[in-house]
Amino acid sequence: SVILFCFFWFQFSSFEKLYIRQTEMELLGRARLLALAARPLLEAGRIDEVQKLCREEGGVVRSRVTVIDARGRVLADSEEEPARMDNHAMRPEILGALEAFRNGGGGSPIVRFSSTQGQRLIYCAYPMRIGESLYIFRSAFSIHQVDRVLGQVRLDIIVSVLLTALVAGGLSYIIFRTVTTISLHILYLIYNIHTICYITKAGIFTV
C-alpha cells in the first residue's frame, strides 16, 4: 500500500509539473504575439489603443495580459485600469524578464500566489526593445481549477490507499485465522492417529 501510494503521488506531481510547463510555453507565445501586435502602436505613442488591444486579446485567449515599461509602470492591462495599478518593477516575473533581457534571453515564466486574486497564477513576462524604450509584455493564467482537481485527486489517493490497507489487513487476518484453524485441525488429527497407533501397538486397545 505504501509503495502504491508513493507511486501515484509521484505520478500526479509529475503531471502538475508537466501541465505548468506546457502552460508557461503557451503564455510565452501569447506574450510574444502581444508584443508584435502592440509594437506599431507603442512606436506611434497610441497607448489608448494598446489598452484596447489588451482588452481584446485577454478576452480571446482567456488570460490576463499586461504591458509594462522598464520602470514598472503599467501602460495597459486586460482586466484593470492601468492608472489604478501599483508599480510592477519589483514583481518577480518582471525582475526575471529584465535579468533575462540583460543576459540575452527571452521570457521569464514563474508561478506565484496573487494577493489580488487570491490564487496561484502562472506568469510569463517577455521583454522587447521598441525604439529607444524597453517594454515588458506579461501574460498570466490561473491554475486555481487545476489546484482544486489535483487536491481532490490526492485526497482520493489517500482514501484509496487507506481503504486498500484496511482491506488487505482484514484479508490477512482472515487468511491467518483460516490457516491457523486448519493447522490446528491437522495437528489434532495427527495426534489422534498417533494415539490410536500407539494404543494398538501396545495392545491396550481391546474389543
Side-chain angles (χ1 to χ4, degrees):
S1 298
V2 175
I3 296 176
L4 185 65
F5 170 79
C6 292
F7 172 76
F8 280 110
W9 193 272
F10 174 78
Q11 289 297 317
F12 279 101
S13 296
S14 299
F15 169 76
E16 181 182 23
K17 293 178 182 178
L18 176 62
Y19 176 84
I20 291 176
R21 179 56 181 167
Q22 290 177 339
T23 304
E24 287 174 348
M25 296 304 295
E26 291 179 7
L27 290 176
L28 178 58
R30 294 173 187 174
R32 286 174 174 171
L33 291 176
L34 176 64
L36 293 175
R39 182 167 190 163
L41 300 176
L42 289 170
E43 287 176 336
R46 293 146 62 182
I47 303 300
D48 290 341
E49 293 188 37
V50 176
Q51 173 66 13
K52 182 180 178 181
L53 174 66
C54 285
R55 295 283 187 182
E56 294 174 351
E57 290 295 322
V60 171
V61 300
R62 294 184 180 180
S63 61
R64 186 175 186 177
V65 291
T66 311
V67 180
I68 306 159
D69 66 17
R71 294 174 295 179
R73 184 167 61 98
V74 178
L75 303 177
D77 187 81
S78 60
E79 296 183 6
E80 301 288 342
E81 289 297 328
R84 299 177 181 177
M85 298 178 66
D86 296 333
N87 188 284
H88 281 37
M90 300 306 296
R91 300 294 170 90
E93 65 275 10
I94 305 303
L95 292 173
L98 293 175
E99 180 67 22
F101 181 80
R102 286 192 290 268
N103 295 329
S108 174
I110 189 172
V111 179
R112 66 175 175 84
F113 183 81
S114 172
S115 57
T116 303
Q117 299 191 18
Q119 55 185 299
R120 283 204 306 163
L121 296 176
I122 304 176
Y123 293 91
C124 186
Y126 178 74
M128 175 183 283
R129 183 175 293 281
I130 299 177
E132 298 297 324
S133 302
L134 177 65
Y135 298 93
I136 300 166
F137 301 86
R138 188 184 70 175
S139 183
F141 180 75
S142 170
I143 56 173
H144 177 64
Q145 186 62 32
V146 177
D147 285 343
R148 290 180 58 186
V149 172
L150 290 176
Q152 183 61 48
V153 170
R154 289 193 177 101
L155 179 61
D156 292 342
I157 290 176
I158 294 174
V159 173
S160 298
V161 171
L162 289 176
L163 290 176
T164 301
L166 290 174
V167 171
L171 289 175
S172 299
Y173 176 75
I174 293 173
I175 293 173
F176 172 78
R177 286 295 303 272
T178 302
V179 172
T180 301
T181 302
I182 293 174
S183 299
L184 289 175
H185 281 297
I186 292 174
L187 290 173
Y188 181 72
L189 180 60
I190 293 174
Y191 173 77
N192 287 339
I193 293 174
H194 178 74
T195 302
I196 292 172
C197 291
Y198 174 77
I199 293 174
T200 302
K201 289 181 179 180
I204 300 174
F205 179 78
T206 59
V207 180

